[in-house]
Amino acid sequence: MEKTYNPTKIEQRWYRFWEERGYFAPRGEGSPYCIMIPPPNVTGSLHMGHAFQDTIMDALIRYHRMKGDRTLWQVGTDHAGIATQMVVERQLEREGKTRHDLGREKFVEKVWEWKRESGGTITRQLRRMGASVDWSRERFTMDDGLSKAVREVFVRLYQEGLIYRGKRLVNWDPVLHTAVSDLEVIQEEEEGFLWHLRYPLADGTGHLIVATTRPETMLGDAAVAVHPGDERYAHLVGQKILLPLTGRAIPVIADEYVDPEFGTGCVKITPAHDFNDYEVWLRHRDESTISELPHGGLINIFTPDAAILAAGPDAELIPEEYRGLDRFEARRQIVADLAAQDLLEKTEEHRHVVPRGDRSGAIIEPYLTDQWYVRVAPLAKPAIEVVEKGTIRFVPDNWKNTYFEWMRNIQDWCISRQIWWGHRIPAWYDDNGDVYVGRSEEEVREQHGLGPEVKLRQDEDVLDTWFSSALWPFSTLGWPDETEELRAFYPTNVLVTGF
C-alpha cells in the first residue's frame, strides 16, 4: 500500500468502475426516490454553490440507494441561450465575422459544434467530485425529447389563453438586441446628474419644474403628473404644457404615484420608456387629454440600438436635429439646447441606480416591443395553495414567506428573446399578419386549412431559457409521453437549490 493518499489516481479509477457498471442507475423494486439536479449552464463551470448543493443531493441519493429505494439522480445541462450565443459570437468576432455573416441556420450549427467540443466542463467536474448521478440518462435542454415537451407546453398554454402576444415595456439590452429578465439586470448605484427642467405652461403664465436623470427621454413625454392632494398644483390639473424643444402640448394630470415631498412634486411621464410611467399611463390612457395625444401618448423615441429614431411615424414627432443620434449624444445636445433657451433650471451631481445587462454591461432601456408572455397569476394560485396546505414544505420554513411574497406579487412573464440559439417559438404568420400556433407548420396548415399557396413564416424569436428549464422535472422523464419513468419518479421528492 502506498504511504500517501493519491486522490487523483484512486478516485478517478473507482468512479469509472462505478459508472461503467451502471451503479448509479435506479435498481431494484424499492420505493422510487428522485432528485433533479438543477441544470447548470453548459457554458459555465462549477462554483462553491454548486459543490455545496450537489454534496447535499449526493448524500441524500446515496442514503436512499443504500436503503434499497429505487433511486434516480437526474443529471444534465441547460442550453443557456444568451450566454452560449455570446460565447460563439465572440469567437466569430475574433475571425472578423458576425452571426449575420453566417445566417441563422449556419450559426446554430456553429453553436452545436461549440457545445460538442467545449461544452463538457461541468460534466467533467461533476465526475471529478464523485457525484453519483445517472449518466446513462444525461439530458440537455435542446435535446429532441425536451424540445418536444417545450412545443407541447407552449401550444397547450396558448390554447388555454395563458400565453399571449402583446406590446409592453421590457428590459431591453441595446447591445444584445433582446429583451432580458429582471434577474439578468444588475442594479447598481453610479455617479450621475439630475437635471431640473422648466416646462412652460401653454397659456404663458409660468412653468413647472421637473427633475430627470434621463433628459433625452423628454422627447417622448406624454404628461406631467402631480399628486391629487397637492394644493400647489390643483388649479393646473387638466391644463396644457408646451413640451420644450418639440412644441407638443401635453396635459398636467393628477396621480398618487407622485410623491409631493420629493423635489418640486412634478414628475414627467414618459410611458414608452419608464416602467412606473407606463403604469401611470395605463391608469389615465382613457382620459381625453391622453387619448388624443399621438399614439395615445405611448411615444417610442428609440431604435433597438438605443439611438433616437430617424424614420417612421414616431420620428416625425422628434425635432430633426436629434434624429439618429446615440442616446448619450442626444442627451448632451438636448441639455445644451435647453440651457440656450433658458429652460434648464439647474444641474446637480446625483448618485442613482443604473440598470445594466449582466452579460453585455450596457445600460438597459425600458423599451416598447411586441413580445410573448405567460399569464402567470392563474398558474401561481395552485402553487401558493400547495405550500399553504403543507403539501410542499420549505427548509428552513421561513423561506415560504419569501416565496409567498414573490408569488402573490407576480407579473406576467416575458418569454420571448430576440436571439437565435434556443427553442424557436412555435408560431407562424401569414402575409396578413395573422398568427397560428402549433407543434409544426404541417399541423398549423392542417388545422387551419392553409394550402401551399399561403406563405407562412415562423416567428424569429426563441423562448427564454427558463421556459425549458421549468419543464426539467418531467420533460427529462419523457413527458408528454406516458413513460414508465414518469409514472415512477414524478413528482420528485426533494429540490435542493440556493438563493
Side-chain angles (χ1 to χ4, degrees):
M1 178 181 291
E2 295 184 21
K3 292 183 179 181
T4 57
Y5 175 57
N6 186 337
T8 302
K9 181 178 178 181
I10 295 172
E11 291 175 0
Q12 292 184 359
R13 172 193 166 199
W14 283 107
Y15 192 89
R16 280 195 301 271
F17 181 88
W18 296 335
E19 184 182 340
E20 288 167 359
R21 284 158 179 76
Y23 289 170
F24 302 150
R27 300 194 305 275
E29 301 298 325
S31 300
Y33 183 84
C34 179
I35 295 179
M36 292 283 165
I37 198 167
N41 285 356
V42 69
T43 55
S45 56
L46 296 184
H47 52 64
M48 286 302 295
H50 289 116
F52 174 67
Q53 67 183 30
D54 290 350
T55 300
I56 294 173
M57 283 185 265
D58 205 7
L60 288 168
I61 285 292
R62 290 175 184 270
Y63 168 72
H64 282 272
R65 192 180 286 135
M66 288 189 291
K67 278 182 61 181
D69 290 340
R70 189 178 170 205
T71 305
L72 171 63
W73 190 9
Q74 176 66 51
V75 69
T77 47
D78 190 297
H79 67 277
I82 293 176
T84 305
Q85 177 157 321
M86 284 188 67
V87 168
V88 179
E89 286 200 77
R90 283 172 181 154
Q91 287 184 344
L92 291 174
E93 283 177 14
R94 290 194 287 271
E95 300 171 13
K97 298 177 183 177
T98 72
R99 61 184 164 113
H100 300 284
D101 295 324
L102 272 66
R104 185 173 194 139
E105 186 176 336
K106 292 292 185 184
F107 177 79
V108 171
E109 288 177 7
K110 189 83 171 173
V111 180
W112 276 108
E113 180 184 313
W114 175 89
K115 192 261 181 185
R116 286 189 296 270
E117 295 176 357
S118 307
T121 300
I122 276 183
T123 56
R124 288 192 297 271
Q125 289 176 320
L126 281 171
R127 285 181 167 92
R128 191 66 191 87
M129 281 178 57
S132 61
V133 296
D134 184 1
W135 289 109
S136 70
R137 297 186 52 82
E138 182 182 1
R139 304 304 298 271
F140 180 55
T141 50
M142 289 284 285
D143 287 349
D144 288 343
L146 275 66
S147 297
K148 176 182 176 182
V150 167
R151 291 191 297 272
E152 185 67 28
V153 168
F154 188 98
V155 171
R156 290 191 191 185
L157 291 180
Y158 181 80
Q159 291 171 343
E160 294 171 19
L162 294 173
I163 281 183
Y164 65 94
R165 185 165 170 80
K167 187 181 286 289
R168 297 177 57 178
L169 278 190
V170 297
N171 296 310
W172 184 261
D173 190 311
V175 170
L176 300 179
H177 287 184
T178 183
V180 294
S181 72
D182 290 344
L183 293 175
E184 296 166 302
V185 178
I186 300 170
Q187 306 275 0
E188 292 186 342
E189 284 197 348
E190 298 183 13
E191 297 297 337
F193 296 94
L194 189 64
W195 288 273
H196 297 255
L197 315 179
R198 297 191 182 109
Y199 279 30
L201 295 169
D203 63 8
T205 59
H207 59 259
L208 296 179
I209 295 175
V210 301
T212 180
T213 58
R214 300 161 66 216
E216 67 279 5
T217 63
M218 65 166 293
L219 299 174
D221 282 0
V224 170
V226 298
H227 192 276
D230 194 334
E231 295 181 359
R232 293 173 297 175
Y233 305 115
H235 65 291
L236 295 177
V237 173
Q239 291 194 33
K240 296 291 180 70
I241 279 176
L242 289 180
L243 185 61
L245 307 181
T246 72
R248 275 195 297 114
I250 60 174
V252 179
I253 62 175
D255 193 277
E256 293 191 351
Y257 161 68
V258 180
D259 179 0
E261 302 300 321
F262 182 78
T264 63
C266 301
V267 177
K268 64 189 284 296
I269 302 298
T270 318
H273 297 292
D274 184 279
F275 290 104
N276 291 320
D277 292 2
Y278 181 78
E279 293 300 320
V280 173
W281 175 81
L282 288 176
R283 292 191 288 272
H284 295 269
R285 61 181 172 178
D286 294 330
E287 298 171 10
S288 60
T289 54
I290 297 293
S291 63
E292 67 189 15
L293 294 173
H295 312 304
L298 209 54
I299 301 168
N300 172 50
I301 66 166
F302 287 135
T303 68
D305 297 308
I308 305 298
L309 286 171
D314 285 336
E316 295 173 3
L317 303 171
I318 300 169
E320 192 171 348
E321 57 267 33
Y322 308 123
R323 296 177 195 171
L325 294 181
D326 170 78
R327 54 181 164 169
F328 301 116
E329 284 183 63
R331 176 180 296 180
R332 288 189 289 271
Q333 187 63 49
I334 285 170
V335 169
D337 291 346
L338 287 169
Q341 296 182 29
D342 197 29
L343 295 174
L344 180 63
E345 176 81 7
K346 62 179 177 178
T347 302
E348 295 178 316
E349 292 184 355
H350 180 64
R351 189 168 179 81
H352 63 117
V353 174
V354 176
R356 290 186 180 271
D358 68 345
R359 303 287 180 189
S360 68
I363 294 178
I364 298 296
E365 284 290 346
Y367 189 58
L368 194 66
T369 60
D370 289 307
Q371 302 283 347
W372 290 90
Y373 293 88
V374 173
R375 208 180 305 277
V376 182
L379 300 174
K381 187 173 183 292
I384 292 170
E385 289 172 353
V386 292
V387 177
E388 288 176 332
K389 293 174 182 176
T391 309
I392 292 177
R393 295 185 302 109
F394 280 87
V395 180
D397 184 68
N398 62 292
W399 278 97
K400 70 183 181 185
N401 298 321
T402 301
Y403 172 80
F404 288 142
E405 179 68 20
W406 288 344
M407 299 300 277
R408 288 168 179 157
N409 295 285
I410 203 160
Q411 302 291 315
D412 285 359
W413 175 20
C414 176
I415 55 172
S416 46
R417 298 291 183 267
Q418 291 67 53
I419 58 176
W420 288 353
W421 172 243
H423 296 99
R424 197 162 172 183
I425 289 175
W428 285 262
Y429 303 87
D430 62 21
D431 288 341
N432 296 321
D434 297 322
V435 63
Y436 308 93
V437 169
R439 295 164 186 83
S440 66
E441 182 177 339
E442 292 72 24
E443 180 183 271
V444 163
R445 288 186 180 278
E446 183 178 339
Q447 286 184 346
H448 299 277
L450 303 175
E453 74 282 357
V454 178
K455 292 182 179 179
L456 292 178
R457 56 179 179 84
Q458 189 174 354
D459 198 302
E460 294 285 335
D461 292 353
V462 301
L463 288 162
D464 178 12
T465 298
W466 286 95
F467 192 93
S468 51
S469 300
L471 314 184
W472 184 258
F474 49 91
S475 63
T476 53
L477 299 175
W479 188 94
D481 298 331
E482 286 291 335
T483 64
E484 192 277 330
E485 292 88 350
L486 186 66
R487 287 189 292 270
F489 295 113
Y490 189 80
T492 61
N493 296 84
V494 176
L495 175 64
V496 180
T497 185
F499 175 67

